[in-house]
Every structure is written in C-alpha cells, then in structure tokens.
Amino acid sequence: MKKTTIADVARYANVSNSTVSQYLNKRYEYMSAETRKKIEEAIEALQYRPNLMARSLKQKSTFTIGIIVANIIHDFSTKIINALEAEFDKEGFHMIVCNSADNPKKEKKHIETLLEKQVDGLIVFPTGENQNLYIRLHQQAMPIVFIDRFIEGVDIPAVLLDNYSAMDTAVETFKEQPLAIITTSLTLPITPRVERLEGFRQALRNRNLFIDERYIKNGEPAEMEEVFNQLFTLDQPPKGIIAANDRIFQELMMYIKKQNLHVPNDVQVIAVDDVPYANFLTPSITTLKQPILPMAQKSASLLLAKIKKEPITDEQKLYRFKPIVIQRDSTN
C-alpha cells in the first residue's frame, strides 16, 4: 500500500505543499479557517500520518518529554501527569512516563534510557540522590525541571508545594493539643517528607507550643500500625494528626476503623493531598490540596522555555505554591 505524502494531502485539499507543512507545524497565522478545514478533511480522508522521524531530523527535536515520577501510585503523581500531558499536548509534545519507585538506581537507569531516546527535556521527581548526574546534565544544558522536590547544590529549578505554609495552616486548623504528624520513611532526604516535619516543628515553635518528638513519626507504610500504636498508647494520645501524604492517610484511616476510634471526637485528622475518597468518608476528611494545574503549567512552561532557549522572566531556583484548604468534618 502506497504511503500517503504531504503532496497527496496538498492535491486533495487544493493547496500548496508548504501550506500543508505550515498546518502540520501548527503555524496557522497566514491561512484562513476554510484552508485549515480543507487540510484537516484531507488528512482524515487520506489517513495521512506524519513521518515523525523525518520531522525530528529536520527540526532537531523529537517533540518528546521524559517524565520520571517517584511513585506512580500516589494520587498527586497521577494528577500531575494528567495535567502535564494536557500542557505539553498544546505545544505538540508527547510524554514518556517512567516510575522510579523512589529507587535512586532506577531513577538513574530511567534517565539514561530517556537520554538514549533523545527526549527534548526531563521533568523529574528526584529521589535526592544522583546529585553528580544532575550537575553533569545541567552543565551539558539538558533542559530539566524538578517537581515536588529539589536537590541541594544542584542548579535546576523546582516546582513544589509550600510545605511550611501547609504545616502552619494544618496546625492552625486543629482545635486541641497535642498534635502529631506522620510521614513515610526518611531513609532518603526526600523534600516534602523532610520539609513537612520541619514545617510542623516550626508551626509549633511560632505558637510557643512544646515540641515533643514522640509525636513526630516516620516509617514505611507496612510499619504504620506499630507507629500508630506508639502514638495512641502515650500518656496523652494525640488529639489531632496530620497524615503527610495519601499513603499514610490510607493507613491511618484503616487503623482508626480497626481500633473503633471516632473522628473527630477521639482524634481530628488532616491529610495532605485531596484524595478523591476524602469527601466520601464518614465523617469527611479535611485536606490540604496541592494546586495541580498551576504547578503543572509552571513546570511545563519552564521546561519548554529551556527547550526553545527562550528567556525566563521570573527565573528562580524554587517555585512554591500555597496549599488549598478543603475544610471538612474531621476538624470540626
């Protein structure tokens, strides 16, 4: 079967080859809506598919973005991937998504694979390791943007939640003391985990409240039942708990159900990330929602500017976004 060419599309639409080429490259400035419609109909009728390899060689671009998420099962990860895809699609780029599972070796392997595929840029949830690799890539002018996290000593911009503001908001929302916070393991220096614990301490300090490290916990999800047992057997069990991410929140709610505790009478709860089921639980759970769309838009615009070698007017190392409080019954 003969492969359909640009010339075939041009003849069918009764326009020049260059006009079809302009259409395919989304340069619509000098063509009428009628011309665009004719080309669109011709492409559909002839089932024309552009030669992406030829396009890449001509424009020195694969129009591909590599995305490396830390853990694809997190609610934030899936939502940000969806928002990023919409942003890059507007500019004619597609994405390859990899999951590092917070494993530095997997992260490094994914980067090497994506570079072999000649992606135009990378958006990464870094594990906190592989510092030298990122420094080398930055020196080689590889377009990279970090999201959710950053690495000290690496001059790559990062888009993330204002974790300190989030913890201050959470502490302010609770009605009674003592308060506790739980996050996942600190084996790796992962930004949101470290910052949310320190932000919690800072929020207590700002209110002249005593900081008791017994109420500040971290561990793997499989260890959470023991962590919760330690908290609820203290002489003063916590009256309010911050679940610092969606996986901890899930473990906490299962523990509360198992122990027949009542929210908010026995313990108040706030979760970071507005997971879909937070509103359907009884009682509904107060959450700190990350502003997904603005974060995705900023990440995409930064990376595209780097790819196109355009100036970045508000260039910073860290772009922090305030959380959105979704007040529900768990903190009444």
Side-chain angles (χ1 to χ4, degrees):
M1 188 179 205
K2 182 175 175 289
K3 184 175 174 64
T4 304
T5 66
I6 283 179
D8 296 327
V9 175
R11 279 193 296 272
Y12 192 101
N14 196 27
V15 298
S16 68
N17 290 4
S18 62
T19 300
V20 176
S21 181
Q22 295 280 359
Y23 174 90
L24 293 172
N25 288 301
K26 301 188 177 183
R27 293 196 287 269
Y28 308 131
E29 297 89 344
Y30 303 109
M31 67 182 72
S32 66
E34 182 184 358
T35 298
R36 286 177 62 178
K37 189 171 189 300
K38 286 198 300 182
I39 296 171
E40 182 182 342
E41 289 172 350
I43 287 171
E44 181 65 29
L46 299 174
Q47 296 188 346
Y48 172 72
R49 296 292 178 267
N51 185 330
L52 295 179
M53 183 65 72
R55 182 185 180 206
S56 297
L57 289 171
K58 184 178 179 181
Q59 299 193 18
K60 297 181 180 178
S61 170
T62 60
F63 297 91
T64 307
I65 306 298
I67 312 288
I68 303 176
V69 297
N71 200 323
I72 206 161
I73 68 171
H74 280 293
D75 185 70
F76 175 72
S77 298
T78 55
K79 287 178 178 175
I80 204 77
I81 289 169
N82 185 59
L84 286 169
E85 194 279 332
E87 293 303 309
F88 288 124
D89 182 64
K90 293 175 188 175
E91 300 294 326
F93 286 77
H94 62 276
M95 303 188 328
I96 299 173
V97 179
C98 303
N99 180 35
S100 75
D102 272 326
N103 183 321
K105 290 182 180 178
K106 284 188 71 175
E107 176 187 23
K108 184 174 184 289
K109 184 178 178 181
H110 286 319
I111 290 171
E112 291 168 349
T113 300
L114 291 168
L115 292 176
E116 287 172 4
K117 292 182 180 295
Q118 298 185 321
V119 296
D120 295 323
L122 295 168
I123 287 184
V124 185
F125 293 58
T127 60
E129 304 290 311
N130 295 313
Q131 182 181 39
N132 291 336
L133 173 60
Y134 287 116
I135 290 172
R136 187 176 80 246
L137 291 175
H138 176 70
Q139 290 170 344
Q140 294 170 350
M142 179 66 192
I144 304 176
V145 172
F146 290 149
I147 198 163
D148 188 53
R149 308 160 174 198
F150 66 92
I151 302 176
E152 291 285 358
V154 177
D155 194 21
I156 290 174
V159 175
L160 66 162
L161 183 69
D162 187 337
N163 292 300
Y164 295 97
S165 173
M167 293 303 97
D168 192 76
T169 298
V171 170
E172 182 65 28
T173 301
F174 286 120
K175 306 294 190 299
E176 296 182 68
Q177 307 293 324
L179 304 179
I181 183 170
I182 307 135
T183 191
T184 28
S185 173
L186 297 180
T187 303
L188 292 172
I190 292 171
T191 304
R193 302 178 192 180
V194 173
E195 287 192 348
R196 287 169 196 173
L197 296 191
E198 185 50 40
F200 177 75
R201 294 185 184 97
Q202 185 173 301
L204 295 180
R205 202 178 294 122
N206 291 344
R207 291 164 176 79
N208 296 316
L209 297 172
F210 177 65
I211 299 171
D212 188 334
E213 294 293 329
R214 294 179 302 166
Y215 294 89
I216 301 174
K217 300 286 189 179
N218 75 88
E220 298 296 340
E223 303 168 341
M224 282 301 111
E225 183 168 6
E226 177 56 30
V227 168
F228 299 140
N229 281 333
Q230 291 171 13
L231 284 173
F232 283 98
T233 54
L234 290 171
D235 51 349
Q236 282 189 290
K239 299 300 290 182
I241 296 179
I242 302 169
N245 60 50
D246 56 340
R247 294 198 69 194
I248 297 299
F249 171 55
Q250 182 178 328
E251 296 294 331
L252 174 61
M253 297 314 294
M254 288 192 294
Y255 180 85
I256 284 172
K257 181 178 180 180
K258 183 177 180 180
Q259 298 297 322
N260 200 29
L261 296 169
H262 297 282
V263 177
N265 295 335
D266 295 324
V267 61
Q268 298 187 339
V269 175
I270 293 178
V272 181
D273 290 332
D274 190 38
V275 294
Y277 50 86
N279 193 39
F280 301 120
L281 292 172
T282 304
S284 58
I285 305 299
T286 296
T287 57
L288 299 177
K289 180 180 179 180
Q290 301 203 51
I292 301 289
L293 182 57
M295 292 173 75
Q297 289 172 333
K298 174 56 69 175
S299 303
S301 66
L302 285 170
L303 191 68
L304 289 169
K306 286 176 173 290
I307 291 169
K308 298 174 183 178
K309 296 180 170 56
E310 296 174 346
I312 300 172
T313 54
D314 66 336
E315 190 157 10
Q316 304 171 38
K317 173 68 187 296
L318 301 178
Y319 297 82
R320 292 188 181 274
F321 286 76
K322 299 286 187 184
I324 301 163
V325 183
I326 311 295
Q327 185 78 46
R328 297 193 180 102
D329 298 334
S330 67
T331 51
N332 284 344

